[in-house]
Structures are given as structure tokens and as C-alpha cells.
Amino acid sequence: MPFGTGTGRFAVRETYLRGMKFQLRYSAACSAVWGRIENGAIGDSVIIKDKGASEEPATIRVDHDTYTRMLAVTPQAPHGSVIICGKIPRFHQIECSPVGAIQP
């Protein structure tokens, strides 16, 4: 996550799974998106994937939150076309947004 970069970031999509919040964050200034997990546990993960099959995963290694790296968006592949999925391995559960999206 681009801490302190003044990117004008905000969540464009959220989904929940067992009390965790998964967000797709977007910055118009950076022309990029990234994924975020809040209130997770070590081992939980988030992945974002665009129409061109580029993806960025992240797994919580300490504490309860983590972010993916940024993934560029363009007018041909806008932030609305990016899929975000959250995964809890210990429960064998995955949730994606938009609902019905192909899971990674």
C-alpha cells in the first residue's frame, strides 16, 4: 500500500468473509488498484487479478492486515474489471468480488 504518497486512495469494492474485510482500493492519481485485508489472521490472503491475467497476491505474515502491490489500470482495463478474492486456508474458504467471478 502506498503509505504517505498522497494517492487519493479509496475503496471501490468490499467483500466480507468470516469477519474479515477484503477491499479493492483505487487511486486515480496513480492509475492503480491494490487489495487489502482487515481483521485477518496469519496465513489469510488476498489476490487481485485484471482482465489481462496480471495478478498481485498478498498473505498476512504478522498482525491482522496486509496489502497487495499496486496493479496498473487503464481506460481499456478499468478498476471495475479487476477481481478481488479473499482466502482463509484454515477453513478452505474463498470469496470473490464481483460475486460469481472466476477464482484464481
Side-chain angles (χ1 to χ4, degrees), residues 64-81:
H64 303 284
D65 307 318
T66 196
Y67 300 86
T68 67
R69 292 186 195 196
M70 293 178 126
L71 187 64
V73 294
T74 65
Q76 295 77 28
H79 66 77
S81 66

mmCIF file of all heavy atoms in Angstrom, residues 64-81:
data_model
loop_
_atom_site.group_PDB
_atom_site.id
_atom_site.type_symbol
_atom_site.label_atom_id
_atom_site.label_comp_id
_atom_site.label_asym_id
_atom_site.label_seq_id
_atom_site.Cartn_x
_atom_site.Cartn_y
_atom_site.Cartn_z
ATOM 1 N N HIS A 64 -2.715 -8.409 11.631
ATOM 2 C CA HIS A 64 -4.042 -8.774 11.121
ATOM 3 C C HIS A 64 -4.410 -8.136 9.788
ATOM 4 O O HIS A 64 -5.536 -8.308 9.320
ATOM 5 C CB HIS A 64 -5.111 -8.405 12.161
ATOM 6 C CG HIS A 64 -4.873 -9.045 13.477
ATOM 7 N ND1 HIS A 64 -5.137 -10.378 13.708
ATOM 8 C CD2 HIS A 64 -4.364 -8.576 14.627
ATOM 9 C CE1 HIS A 64 -4.813 -10.690 14.946
ATOM 10 N NE2 HIS A 64 -4.334 -9.612 15.530
ATOM 11 N N ASP A 65 -3.498 -7.387 9.196
ATOM 12 C CA ASP A 65 -3.794 -6.676 7.942
ATOM 13 C C ASP A 65 -2.636 -6.850 6.968
ATOM 14 O O ASP A 65 -1.497 -7.051 7.378
ATOM 15 C CB ASP A 65 -3.980 -5.175 8.194
ATOM 16 C CG ASP A 65 -5.001 -4.881 9.272
ATOM 17 O OD1 ASP A 65 -6.050 -5.531 9.291
ATOM 18 O OD2 ASP A 65 -4.731 -3.989 10.094
ATOM 19 N N THR A 66 -2.948 -6.725 5.682
ATOM 20 C CA THR A 66 -1.895 -6.680 4.665
ATOM 21 C C THR A 66 -2.460 -6.069 3.388
ATOM 22 O O THR A 66 -3.677 -5.922 3.240
ATOM 23 C CB THR A 66 -1.281 -8.066 4.390
ATOM 24 O OG1 THR A 66 -0.048 -7.888 3.685
ATOM 25 C CG2 THR A 66 -2.203 -8.964 3.584
ATOM 26 N N TYR A 67 -1.565 -5.730 2.478
ATOM 27 C CA TYR A 67 -1.913 -5.118 1.198
ATOM 28 C C TYR A 67 -1.169 -5.832 0.082
ATOM 29 O O TYR A 67 -0.057 -6.298 0.279
ATOM 30 C CB TYR A 67 -1.466 -3.650 1.158
ATOM 31 C CG TYR A 67 -2.076 -2.784 2.213
ATOM 32 C CD1 TYR A 67 -1.516 -2.678 3.477
ATOM 33 C CD2 TYR A 67 -3.222 -2.063 1.936
ATOM 34 C CE1 TYR A 67 -2.076 -1.869 4.446
ATOM 35 C CE2 TYR A 67 -3.791 -1.256 2.899
ATOM 36 C CZ TYR A 67 -3.217 -1.159 4.149
ATOM 37 O OH TYR A 67 -3.785 -0.359 5.101
ATOM 38 N N THR A 68 -1.765 -5.857 -1.105
ATOM 39 C CA THR A 68 -1.050 -6.345 -2.284
ATOM 40 C C THR A 68 -0.211 -5.195 -2.834
ATOM 41 O O THR A 68 -0.364 -4.046 -2.427
ATOM 42 C CB THR A 68 -2.013 -6.808 -3.400
ATOM 43 O OG1 THR A 68 -2.716 -5.687 -3.921
ATOM 44 C CG2 THR A 68 -2.972 -7.872 -2.903
ATOM 45 N N ARG A 69 0.609 -5.496 -3.800
ATOM 46 C CA ARG A 69 1.277 -4.449 -4.569
ATOM 47 C C ARG A 69 0.234 -3.807 -5.480
ATOM 48 O O ARG A 69 -0.824 -4.380 -5.739
ATOM 49 C CB ARG A 69 2.375 -5.036 -5.445
ATOM 50 C CG ARG A 69 3.532 -5.578 -4.694
ATOM 51 C CD ARG A 69 4.561 -5.973 -5.704
ATOM 52 N NE ARG A 69 5.575 -6.822 -5.136
ATOM 53 C CZ ARG A 69 6.721 -7.048 -5.734
ATOM 54 N NH1 ARG A 69 6.971 -6.538 -6.919
ATOM 55 N NH2 ARG A 69 7.601 -7.823 -5.170
ATOM 56 N N MET A 70 0.590 -2.657 -6.012
ATOM 57 C CA MET A 70 -0.315 -1.965 -6.940
ATOM 58 C C MET A 70 -0.342 -2.674 -8.292
ATOM 59 O O MET A 70 0.662 -3.247 -8.719
ATOM 60 C CB MET A 70 0.126 -0.517 -7.134
ATOM 61 C CG MET A 70 -0.028 0.322 -5.909
ATOM 62 S SD MET A 70 0.572 1.989 -6.235
ATOM 63 C CE MET A 70 -0.860 2.913 -5.740
ATOM 64 N N LEU A 71 -1.502 -2.610 -8.925
ATOM 65 C CA LEU A 71 -1.715 -3.168 -10.260
ATOM 66 C C LEU A 71 -2.253 -2.036 -11.122
ATOM 67 O O LEU A 71 -3.254 -1.403 -10.758
ATOM 68 C CB LEU A 71 -2.721 -4.316 -10.170
ATOM 69 C CG LEU A 71 -2.975 -5.160 -11.399
ATOM 70 C CD1 LEU A 71 -1.715 -5.914 -11.812
ATOM 71 C CD2 LEU A 71 -4.092 -6.153 -11.112
ATOM 72 N N ALA A 72 -1.596 -1.755 -12.226
ATOM 73 C CA ALA A 72 -1.999 -0.637 -13.091
ATOM 74 C C ALA A 72 -3.367 -0.886 -13.714
ATOM 75 O O ALA A 72 -3.711 -2.015 -14.054
ATOM 76 C CB ALA A 72 -0.964 -0.427 -14.186
ATOM 77 N N VAL A 73 -4.138 0.187 -13.838
ATOM 78 C CA VAL A 73 -5.409 0.150 -14.564
ATOM 79 C C VAL A 73 -5.339 1.166 -15.695
ATOM 80 O O VAL A 73 -4.587 2.134 -15.620
ATOM 81 C CB VAL A 73 -6.625 0.419 -13.644
ATOM 82 C CG1 VAL A 73 -6.799 -0.699 -12.642
ATOM 83 C CG2 VAL A 73 -6.501 1.750 -12.937
ATOM 84 N N THR A 74 -6.108 0.913 -16.738
ATOM 85 C CA THR A 74 -6.121 1.784 -17.916
ATOM 86 C C THR A 74 -7.565 1.977 -18.363
ATOM 87 O O THR A 74 -8.460 1.258 -17.896
ATOM 88 C CB THR A 74 -5.338 1.129 -19.078
ATOM 89 O OG1 THR A 74 -6.025 -0.067 -19.474
ATOM 90 C CG2 THR A 74 -3.905 0.792 -18.683
ATOM 91 N N PRO A 75 -7.811 2.891 -19.281
ATOM 92 C CA PRO A 75 -9.176 3.023 -19.809
ATOM 93 C C PRO A 75 -9.675 1.719 -20.451
ATOM 94 O O PRO A 75 -10.857 1.413 -20.418
ATOM 95 C CB PRO A 75 -9.052 4.135 -20.845
ATOM 96 C CG PRO A 75 -7.907 4.976 -20.362
ATOM 97 C CD PRO A 75 -6.939 3.978 -19.761
ATOM 98 N N GLN A 76 -8.763 0.925 -21.009
ATOM 99 C CA GLN A 76 -9.149 -0.348 -21.620
ATOM 100 C C GLN A 76 -9.360 -1.437 -20.568
ATOM 101 O O GLN A 76 -10.058 -2.421 -20.818
ATOM 102 C CB GLN A 76 -8.078 -0.820 -22.616
ATOM 103 C CG GLN A 76 -7.915 0.077 -23.818
ATOM 104 C CD GLN A 76 -7.130 1.351 -23.498
ATOM 105 O OE1 GLN A 76 -6.293 1.381 -22.600
ATOM 106 N NE2 GLN A 76 -7.410 2.413 -24.234
ATOM 107 N N ALA A 77 -8.755 -1.289 -19.405
ATOM 108 C CA ALA A 77 -8.901 -2.245 -18.302
ATOM 109 C C ALA A 77 -9.084 -1.446 -17.013
ATOM 110 O O ALA A 77 -8.165 -1.323 -16.213
ATOM 111 C CB ALA A 77 -7.674 -3.144 -18.212
ATOM 112 N N PRO A 78 -10.278 -0.874 -16.817
ATOM 113 C CA PRO A 78 -10.522 -0.008 -15.652
ATOM 114 C C PRO A 78 -10.612 -0.791 -14.346
ATOM 115 O O PRO A 78 -10.703 -2.029 -14.350
ATOM 116 C CB PRO A 78 -11.864 0.643 -15.991
ATOM 117 C CG PRO A 78 -12.542 -0.343 -16.866
ATOM 118 C CD PRO A 78 -11.449 -1.017 -17.663
ATOM 119 N N HIS A 79 -10.607 -0.061 -13.233
ATOM 120 C CA HIS A 79 -10.642 -0.710 -11.924
ATOM 121 C C HIS A 79 -11.880 -1.571 -11.743
ATOM 122 O O HIS A 79 -11.841 -2.559 -11.015
ATOM 123 C CB HIS A 79 -10.509 0.304 -10.790
ATOM 124 C CG HIS A 79 -11.655 1.260 -10.652
ATOM 125 N ND1 HIS A 79 -12.854 0.914 -10.092
ATOM 126 C CD2 HIS A 79 -11.761 2.560 -11.003
ATOM 127 C CE1 HIS A 79 -13.666 1.959 -10.107
ATOM 128 N NE2 HIS A 79 -13.022 2.969 -10.647
ATOM 129 N N GLY A 80 -12.975 -1.261 -12.419
ATOM 130 C CA GLY A 80 -14.186 -2.063 -12.313
ATOM 131 C C GLY A 80 -14.052 -3.456 -12.895
ATOM 132 O O GLY A 80 -14.863 -4.340 -12.611
ATOM 133 N N SER A 81 -13.017 -3.678 -13.702
ATOM 134 C CA SER A 81 -12.819 -5.003 -14.303
ATOM 135 C C SER A 81 -11.893 -5.889 -13.478
ATOM 136 O O SER A 81 -11.648 -7.041 -13.834
ATOM 137 C CB SER A 81 -12.253 -4.849 -15.720
ATOM 138 O OG SER A 81 -10.943 -4.301 -15.675
#
